Amino acid sequence: MVKRGADDIIVCYGPKTLNTNGAWIGDSPLDYSIPIIILQMMIVVATTRLIVFILRPLRQPRVVSEVLGGVILGPSILGRVQGFTTTIFPLRSLMVLETMANVGLIYFLFLVGVEMDLTVVRRTGKRALAVAIAGMVLPFVVGACFSYILRDNKQKPLGTTPYILFLGVALSVTSFPVLARILVELKLINSEIGRLSMASALLNDTCAWVLLAIAIAAAGNGSKPLNSLWVILVSAIFVTVCIVVVRPAISWMVRRTSEGEVSDDFSICVILTGVMISSFITDALGSHSVFGAFVFGLIIPNGALGVALLEKIEDFVSGLLLPLFFTISGLKTDLASIESFRTWGVLALITLLSCAGKIVGTMIVTLFLRMSLTEGFILGLLMNAKGLVELIVLNVGKDQEVLDDESFAVMAIIVVVMTGIISPVVAAMYKPTKTFASYKHRTLQRAVHDGELRVLACIHTPRNVPATINLLEATNPTSNSPLSVYVLHLVELTGRTSGMLIIHNTHNSGHVASNQTQAQSDNIIQAFENFEQRSSFISVHPLTTISPYNSIHDDIYSVAEDKRVALIIIPFHKQQTLSGRMEASNPAFRAINQNVLASAPCSVGILIDRGLSGSAWYTTGEVSHQVGVLFFGGPDDREALAYGWRMCEHPGVSLTVTRFILGDDLSLTAMLPTDDQNDDPTMLTVEKNIMENRLDDEYINNFRRKNANSESIVYTENMVNNRKETVTAIRNLDDYYNLLIVGRRHETMSPLMNGLTERSECPELGAIGDILAESNFSSTVSVLIIQQYVGVFQHESLGSPDSALSDDELIPG
């Protein structure tokens, strides 16, 4: 029996109405349970994804789109179309749909518990605790006050205490996953406001679960406070048993699994069954089934088991089943149930005062934290993010008859509105001007040899780590010129909830990663910290950025500018296979490299690894390593030579500089204009080439003069007359060097380069870099392709390392 308002409706189910016998004998698929639930899931997923696409320019969280999808499919909009609800969402099918939605909710809350590390909650600090408490108290008071107004308007009186609890919790809590996604979209996740709001939301979410358990206990027992007390007591006993008994048993099972005595599939099956058992127990005890699933997830040890669980079920649960729960919330929202204008006025007032309560409470605390009023306002606005916990509260309240249709609709709208206004308002208020810092050492050529060199190393996967470390080791950090390395782990923002909170705590031996993203990040940071410990004059600073790949280059720019680095090192988008061929690992990596090359605030190096990660290079500096610099001329080649110049001071590096020069006849033809070229626009190019050749000569002569007595440096000149001779000379270098360094950009009209770009597979590497990146060039020679930062104008010269350009000349417009 399903109760709808004051009327009782009896719904009859046929015992043989699961599968249709076929449309050809007259059966309609919509009369059978399995076909109609499949159709409903298809419609729900398609509708929510369409709304996500439509609202993407407004940077709306997915929860807003999913609830709006339910509202559109529900009685408020499409439900008013004659025959839509009775055909697509008949009453007899809602029980099956809601059951599947709640099963998805149970397993999603289990995954939330698996990902949540309570040690992180304990380490959040007093500032986050103060912001979390201040952001909960005033909204809870607002909800409690307005609960009397809404409750007095009901024909059927509702329980006072449960009603206050449900409204107060729904208005006061902050959704951690939704907030994290908003911060990533707004590029605030690595800012001080982002870190403080994330930590506060984590504490807020933890408090929300305690309040939810109390609210459910109070609602399920009506006017019997003693029964509510018993529910809270037995729930506490359940939590204690899970911690004292179940967690050690799971840890024991994990240890046996690592020894290979129990299959991983069996362990995962036991865990997934334990989720259902825990949910059943808490539901039988009078609490909600999601509480048991969440607690069971909390006791899962961090590590390989948690990663395996997330990998196996998260996409299915969060991508398919969880949207059903949000849609069910929308289907229950009937805007027509809000009949009076007074209720709409109260709705607007509650929304305004609830947002204001969090903002005011947060701003009061931030004043004591010595933050500006604008930062306090933005932080308070971010803490208004709503999501899963709030909708669970509303759905439980409606199921327990604490909330009627009107109250449910009012609160559902408040959740959507409060969450929906955050991103547009913060984006409009928080627009940091991209004022580039006025620092001189934006290039290796300008970086003095007796000062600190700052490098930003971008890492996609742990496979990029050894080659990058070996390159940095060969950079020759010394006491006079130490190396400061900012390691930036690039993580793609996807629809998954895992990896949103990454805590680098590798110095703590007891630290275990709670998800695959954090495990990868910790492995990367651990490798660089080991490199720091075994090396001298090197400092490592780990960072992580989580963004969509199409905008992650903005984060790279920001870090490079903020840390004032001279060089960004990014991995090539292709990796070497066992056969020696270069194959693309992820096409998105190439787009990232192209975007970084387009507007980077400093020099950029693309590293092609063909054995630079080998153990011989990594473990010792005593072996002689052959490094070659190919010099054709121009700013990028001077930057490549500057890097090679620094590396040659390493005791284990031998440097060979090969300068390619034109034949005598071609040189005169290219450099001297004819009579009919006086008015030709190409004269500017000729004059530019003359200037660049002079700068090349000055830099080469300076390099040779200062290293005339060095036995580890060889300088050669290779005279070539055309493109074919250029390519032949490059291919003759095959397998002789460990590392080749070359500039990216060259004069394309030069006889040595003319026509090379037409056949380029990867034009972003330049004509020479593309040749060196080909699979048939070499299987053992790694390549570093360098682009020098040249300021506003691409022809602007940066001179020699000892030259003194003004800061203004180095600031891009």
Side-chain angles (χ1 to χ4, degrees):
M1 182 172 291
V2 181
K3 185 170 291 185
R4 292 280 170 165
D7 300 324
D8 292 340
I9 301 175
I10 300 177
V11 181
C12 300
Y13 293 88
K16 299 181 179 179
T17 58
L18 291 179
N19 294 288
T20 178
N21 294 318
W24 55 84
I25 64 172
D27 286 350
S28 173
L30 300 182
D31 294 334
Y32 295 83
S33 299
I34 293 180
I36 197 170
I37 193 66
I38 293 174
L39 177 63
Q40 290 170 347
M41 294 174 66
M42 290 168 52
I43 293 175
V44 167
V45 173
T47 304
T48 55
R49 290 296 176 179
L50 177 61
I51 299 176
V52 168
F53 176 77
I54 294 173
L55 297 182
R56 181 174 298 171
L58 299 178
R59 299 177 176 178
Q60 292 299 310
R62 200 170 71 180
V63 61
V64 173
S65 302
E66 290 168 340
V67 176
L68 287 179
V71 172
I72 292 173
L73 295 174
S76 301
I77 301 179
L78 291 181
R80 295 183 175 274
V81 178
Q82 185 176 4
F84 178 82
T85 300
T86 56
T87 303
I88 305 299
F89 294 98
L91 192 58
R92 58 181 173 80
S93 70
L94 293 184
M95 186 178 70
V96 180
L97 182 64
E98 193 162 357
T99 300
M100 291 192 64
N102 279 277
V103 170
L105 179 64
I106 287 172
Y107 277 99
F108 182 79
L109 266 298
F110 163 71
L111 294 178
V112 171
V114 171
E115 292 180 308
M116 185 173 290
D117 190 351
L118 293 180
T119 59
V120 174
V121 178
R122 291 197 297 266
R123 295 198 302 265
T124 51
K126 297 180 180 179
R127 300 175 70 205
L129 179 61
V131 172
I133 294 176
M136 290 188 70
V137 173
L138 285 181
F140 192 92
V141 172
V142 170
C145 294
F146 276 94
S147 65
Y148 288 98
I149 299 176
L150 293 176
R151 180 174 174 271
D152 291 341
N153 293 331
K154 309 305 175 188
Q155 297 178 356
K156 178 182 177 181
L158 305 174
T160 303
T161 301
Y163 198 73
I164 292 175
L165 285 174
F166 276 96
L167 287 184
V169 172
L171 292 174
S172 61
V173 299
T174 301
S175 175
F176 170 76
V178 174
L179 175 63
R181 206 162 299 278
I182 291 174
L183 291 172
V184 170
E185 288 290 339
L186 297 175
K187 302 295 182 184
L188 295 177
I189 197 166
N190 290 320
S191 65
E192 181 182 0
I193 291 179
R195 289 189 291 267
L196 182 57
S197 60
M198 288 271 283
S200 303
L202 195 60
L203 287 169
N204 201 308
D205 241 1
T206 306
C207 296
W209 286 107
V210 177
L211 293 175
L212 177 61
I214 296 174
I216 293 173
N221 296 278
S223 58
K224 300 178 180 179
L226 186 60
N227 288 351
S228 299
L229 184 62
W230 277 112
V231 171
I232 297 174
L233 179 61
V234 295
S235 298
I237 294 175
F238 169 78
V239 173
T240 304
V241 171
C242 286
I243 296 174
V244 176
V245 179
V246 182
R247 180 181 174 88
I250 296 176
S251 300
W252 173 81
M253 184 178 65
V254 170
R255 289 193 298 268
R256 287 177 56 87
T257 301
S258 62
E259 297 172 3
E261 298 181 11
V262 182
S263 67
D264 291 337
D265 291 339
F266 177 77
S267 302
I268 292 175
C269 181
V270 170
I271 297 298
L272 297 181
T273 305
V275 177
M276 293 184 284
I277 294 174
S278 300
S279 299
F280 176 81
I281 291 174
T282 52
D283 194 77
L285 293 176
S287 186
H288 199 280
S289 54
V290 297
F291 180 72
F294 177 72
V295 172
F296 191 77
L298 283 177
I299 65 172
I300 300 296
N302 294 334
L305 180 59
V307 173
L309 289 167
L310 293 170
E311 286 294 311
K312 287 183 178 293
I313 67 174
E314 184 180 21
D315 289 330
F316 176 73
V317 171
S318 63
L320 186 62
L321 296 183
L322 189 63
L324 297 181
F325 174 76
F326 292 114
T327 303
I328 288 292
S329 302
L331 290 172
K332 293 179 181 179
T333 304
D334 187 3
L335 299 182
S337 63
I338 308 177
E339 299 176 351
S340 64
F341 288 103
R342 180 178 181 274
T343 305
W344 283 105
V346 172
L347 167 63
L349 189 59
I350 292 176
T351 305
L352 179 62
L353 292 182
S354 299
C355 289
K358 271 191 177 292
I359 293 172
V360 171
T362 304
M363 290 180 68
I364 293 174
V365 173
T366 54
L367 289 178
F368 289 98
L369 298 178
R370 297 181 180 179
M371 298 174 64
S372 67
L373 290 177
T374 302
E375 291 176 330
F377 181 84
I378 293 175
L379 181 60
L381 192 61
L382 291 171
M383 296 299 290
N384 277 290
K386 306 295 180 186
L388 184 63
V389 177
E390 295 78 9
L391 291 175
I392 293 175
V393 170
L394 298 181
N395 278 275
V396 173
K398 193 172 189 304
D399 293 339
Q400 298 285 354
E401 298 185 351
V402 175
L403 303 176
D404 61 358
D405 291 343
E406 185 182 44
S407 299
F408 183 88
V410 167
M411 296 307 300
I413 294 173
I414 289 176
V415 168
V416 174
V417 171
M418 291 177 67
T419 306
I421 64 175
I422 294 175
S423 293
V425 174
V426 174
M429 291 187 58
Y430 190 83
K431 291 184 177 179
T433 56
K434 299 193 73 173
T435 55
F436 290 91
S438 176
Y439 69 99
K440 295 180 179 181
H441 303 155
R442 293 178 181 271
T443 70
L444 295 169
Q445 190 178 346
R446 287 295 306 276
V448 293
H449 284 216
D450 57 351
E452 181 186 47
L453 176 63
R454 298 187 177 189
V455 176
L456 174 61
C458 299
I459 304 294
H460 291 294
T461 66
R463 182 171 179 176
N464 305 137
V465 172
T468 305
I469 287 180
N470 290 329
L471 180 66
L472 294 172
E473 182 190 29
T475 307
N476 190 41
T478 63
S479 58
N480 293 329
S481 181
L483 183 63
S484 182
V485 182
Y486 297 91
V487 182
L488 185 63
H489 183 202
L490 308 179
V491 180
E492 181 186 16
L493 174 65
T494 63
R496 303 168 65 96
T497 58
S498 60
M500 294 305 300
L501 181 65
I502 299 178
I503 303 296
H504 295 311
N505 192 21
T506 52
H507 292 297
N508 182 1
S509 59
H511 172 77
V512 181
S514 58
N515 54 66
Q516 186 180 30
T517 303
Q518 185 174 345
Q520 275 201 351
S521 188
D522 286 347
N523 289 336
I524 291 170
I525 302 308
Q526 186 64 57
F528 276 95
E529 290 188 343
N530 290 339
F531 168 56
E532 178 184 26
Q533 293 172 4
R534 71 174 183 82
S535 304
S536 301
F537 316 115
I538 291 179
S539 59
V540 173
H541 312 277
L543 301 166
T544 301
T545 182
I546 307 175
S547 291
Y549 277 154
N550 59 4
S551 63
I552 204 168
H553 55 276
D554 290 330
D555 297 333
I556 298 176
Y557 298 161
S558 298
V559 173
E561 192 70 37
D562 181 57
K563 305 304 179 184
R564 302 190 174 196
V565 302
L567 177 67
I568 299 173
I569 298 175
I570 50 179
F572 188 43
H573 71 275
K574 292 184 179 181
Q575 294 180 341
Q576 191 174 37
T577 62
L578 294 177
S579 62
R581 296 189 59 80
M582 301 296 294
E583 294 184 356
S585 57
N586 189 333
F589 294 169
R590 181 180 184 183
I592 294 173
N593 293 353
Q594 292 171 335
N595 290 330
V596 171
L597 288 169
S599 304
C602 61
S603 295
V604 180
I606 298 180
L607 178 59
I608 304 174
D609 179 23
R610 291 197 189 98
L612 194 60
S613 56
S615 59
W617 186 296
Y618 183 86
T619 56
T620 178
E622 299 178 358
V623 180
S624 177
H625 306 297
Q626 300 295 330
V627 178
V629 174
L630 307 184
F631 194 96
F632 292 86
D636 292 355
D637 279 355
R638 293 196 293 273
E639 187 77 349
L641 179 56
Y643 200 6
W645 190 343
R646 184 181 180 94
M647 294 175 70
C648 72
E649 298 173 3
H650 190 284
V653 173
S654 296
L655 176 68
T656 300
V657 179
T658 302
R659 186 179 187 184
F660 292 80
I661 58 177
L662 290 170
D664 293 337
D665 295 337
L666 287 176
S667 178
L668 290 174
T669 303
M671 300 303 297
L672 297 177
T674 60
D675 294 338
D676 58 352
Q677 288 179 316
N678 291 333
D679 298 327
D680 197 318
T682 57
M683 282 294 297
L684 293 176
T685 303
V686 173
E687 293 176 2
K688 174 185 173 183
N689 290 341
I690 295 175
M691 180 183 67
E692 290 291 346
N693 286 335
R694 289 174 180 171
L695 293 172
D696 293 339
D697 292 339
E698 291 176 4
Y699 196 64
I700 286 285
N701 293 334
N702 188 30
F703 168 75
R704 296 181 65 183
R705 182 175 64 254
K706 292 187 177 181
N707 297 282
N709 298 323
S710 176
E711 297 180 355
S712 62
I713 297 177
V714 176
Y715 173 81
T716 62
E717 292 184 352
N718 197 335
M719 185 175 295
V720 290
N721 295 291
N722 52 51
R723 176 186 64 186
K724 183 177 180 181
E725 291 184 8
T726 303
V727 175
T728 301
I730 293 174
R731 295 194 183 280
N732 289 336
L733 302 172
D734 192 2
D735 298 334
Y736 178 72
Y737 297 98
N738 301 108
L739 176 68
L740 286 175
I741 307 176
V742 65
R744 172 178 171 260
R745 297 165 296 192
H746 301 95
E747 177 54 51
T748 57
M749 297 305 295
S750 168
L752 304 186
M753 302 291 170
N754 188 20
L756 288 181
T757 56
E758 297 176 359
R759 55 180 294 276
S760 294
E761 181 182 355
C762 300
E764 69 272 13
L765 299 181
I768 304 301
D770 185 72
I771 296 174
L772 299 176
E774 292 177 351
S775 296
N776 58 2
F777 170 71
S778 173
S779 60
T780 59
V781 180
S782 299
V783 182
L784 180 65
I785 300 165
I786 292 184
Q787 171 183 283
Q788 186 184 66
Y789 171 79
V790 290
V792 181
F793 304 105
Q794 295 300 312
H795 64 271
E796 176 182 331
S797 170
L798 292 179
S800 64
D802 298 327
S803 64
L805 293 180
S806 66
D807 289 347
D808 293 337
E809 292 178 289
L810 297 171
I811 302 175

